[in-house]
Amino acid sequence: MMMRHCMMALRVARSQIPLSAARSTQSNLLQRFYGSQAPQIGVVDYDVVKKLPSEPQKLLIDVREPEELKETGQIPASINIPLGVVSQELAASEQLFKSKYGREKPKPDTELIFHCKIGKRSLKAAEAAAALGFKNVKNYQGSWLDWAEREGLPK
């Protein structure tokens, strides 16, 4: 038991996540994997995503790698947080999040919409956000391929 707490403290120190947030995250993860309720991940389509530039209270997160965005571009109003760091970034301090992404850190009830290239990585990111306690999490299932097809952009 003591070893587990030491390992968690070490991971927290490395990731610069406050210990209280890490404990909360651990509790949420345990509830996610051992609880009876799986987090509800909503699904959105092109029409919802198309309206997002006029809905700044919602946050569209592209979880692709930066190199992918250079090749294809990105959906207007989205911010890029690669899947590998999405949990860490969503658990970061409000000040750090705003300085990195130019947006307020989302609150637990903020509508978060994730997308990637085809919708698989974004579903994993949505599940990670739900495990962190975000309650209004959605996945753009068609993701970039659907967006590019409808907008006449390279895939």
Side-chain angles (χ1 to χ4, degrees):
M1 184 73 142
M2 180 63 123
M3 179 67 141
R4 186 173 63 175
H5 290 292
C6 290
M7 293 302 290
M8 185 174 77
L10 181 59
R11 283 192 298 267
V12 168
R14 286 184 182 158
S15 67
Q16 299 174 348
I17 299 172
L19 187 55
S20 60
R23 284 194 179 122
S24 172
T25 300
Q26 181 185 26
S27 174
N28 287 334
L29 288 172
L30 289 174
Q31 183 178 10
R32 160 85 169 96
F33 291 112
Y34 298 108
S36 60
Q37 286 188 320
Q40 295 296 318
I41 308 298
V43 175
V44 299
D45 61 13
Y46 170 83
D47 294 327
V48 170
V49 174
K50 184 75 173 171
K51 295 176 189 171
L52 289 176
S54 64
E55 298 176 321
Q57 73 279 12
K58 299 177 182 179
L59 184 58
L60 179 62
I61 301 174
D62 187 333
V63 299
R64 296 178 294 160
E65 294 298 321
E67 298 78 36
E68 292 177 87
L69 276 66
K70 289 177 188 172
E71 293 173 12
T72 62
Q74 68 188 98
I75 297 175
S78 69
I79 63 170
N80 178 232
I81 306 177
L83 177 60
V85 296
V86 77
S87 292
Q88 177 182 330
E89 295 299 306
L90 289 175
S93 71
E94 291 182 26
Q95 183 180 2
L96 183 60
F97 190 93
K98 186 167 186 171
S99 71
K100 279 181 141 177
Y101 302 106
R103 299 276 311 256
E104 295 294 326
K105 180 182 173 185
K107 306 285 184 225
D109 61 343
T110 299
E111 185 171 336
L112 298 179
I113 302 171
F114 293 91
H115 83 90
C116 58
K117 184 175 181 178
I118 64 172
K120 288 187 178 184
R121 286 178 285 176
S122 55
L123 179 57
K124 288 181 182 188
E127 290 172 342
L132 287 170
F134 291 93
K135 295 167 181 49
N136 195 0
V137 180
K138 298 181 178 161
N139 182 29
Y140 176 19
Q141 268 187 328
S143 284
W144 178 259
L145 290 181
D146 181 59
W147 178 266
E149 183 177 320
R150 292 171 182 262
E151 294 284 315
L153 299 170
K155 295 179 189 178

